[in-house]
Amino acid sequence: MPYRLLTYNPPRHMAIMDPRRVPSGRSHLDEHDRRRLIRLELAVAAGRFDEAQETAEDLWLEATDAHKLLYQGLSNALTAVCARQARKLRGARQIADETRSLLAPFPRRVLDLELDTLLESVRDFVVRGEGPILLRRQGGGGEEAPRR
């Protein structure tokens, strides 16, 4: 009986089960999820936090791998902001604290988002009740300007 050569054809997008292995960029995501992340970013930039939270929640509910925990963390961060806007300070603080724990296993830069920047801006918003929510550092990153 002759042997047949079996070839392995991996799926186009492999499931990522380890949060530490979620890439810093978005090229591994399907087009639909990339568009939803852009919609989330635009809503955050416009201060439409409830819309951004709903988008993050949709991503969370549909994800089946390590992205699920990431999207849950994003949803929680935005829920904390919405709670603070509704003057529910205690709940906003609790949710913000939980969010830090949810996002702890991930690289600090993931899906073109800077998690430390997000967490700091959410914490500041919860404390002050105002201010921007940032998904990445402003001004082109963390490199120092050239000295003259």
Side-chain angles (χ1 to χ4, degrees):
M1 185 156 105
Y3 291 98
R4 289 188 339 192
L5 178 62
L6 298 176
T7 59
Y8 174 65
N9 294 318
R12 187 164 172 225
H13 299 288
M14 297 282 291
I16 300 169
M17 302 313 288
D18 182 350
R20 296 170 297 183
R21 297 197 182 277
V22 176
S24 61
R26 298 179 182 175
S27 62
H28 68 286
L29 297 176
D30 66 32
E31 184 65 24
H32 184 64
D33 286 352
R34 284 195 298 264
R35 286 183 186 187
R36 289 196 288 185
L37 280 170
I38 291 169
R39 187 170 45 235
L40 181 147
E41 288 185 89
L42 292 172
V44 166
R48 297 189 314 268
F49 303 120
D50 54 342
E51 179 183 331
Q53 188 278 331
E54 287 178 19
T55 301
E57 187 173 303
D58 289 343
L59 286 161
W60 167 36
L61 294 174
E62 292 177 20
T64 58
D65 60 4
H67 290 83
K68 188 171 194 75
L69 184 61
L70 175 64
Y71 296 144
Q72 182 182 9
L74 293 175
S75 178
N76 269 26
L78 294 163
T79 298
V81 171
C82 293
R84 181 59 174 98
Q85 286 182 317
R87 301 183 195 280
K88 298 179 182 178
L89 184 56
R90 184 172 179 219
R93 284 184 178 153
Q94 288 175 332
I95 295 167
D97 289 344
E98 290 173 17
T99 299
R100 187 168 292 283
S101 297
L102 283 172
L103 295 177
F106 291 92
R108 303 330 303 153
R109 182 172 178 81
V110 63
L111 302 185
D112 295 329
L113 306 173
E114 295 177 14
L115 297 183
D116 289 336
T117 301
L118 170 65
L119 292 168
E120 288 171 20
S121 66
V122 168
R123 183 199 62 222
D124 291 347
F125 188 94
V126 167
V127 169
R128 295 187 193 124
E130 61 183 21
I133 300 301
L134 303 174
L135 299 172
R136 63 187 61 83
R137 284 186 301 271
Q138 302 300 300
E143 295 180 26
E144 287 187 31
R147 294 181 187 194
R148 295 181 183 199

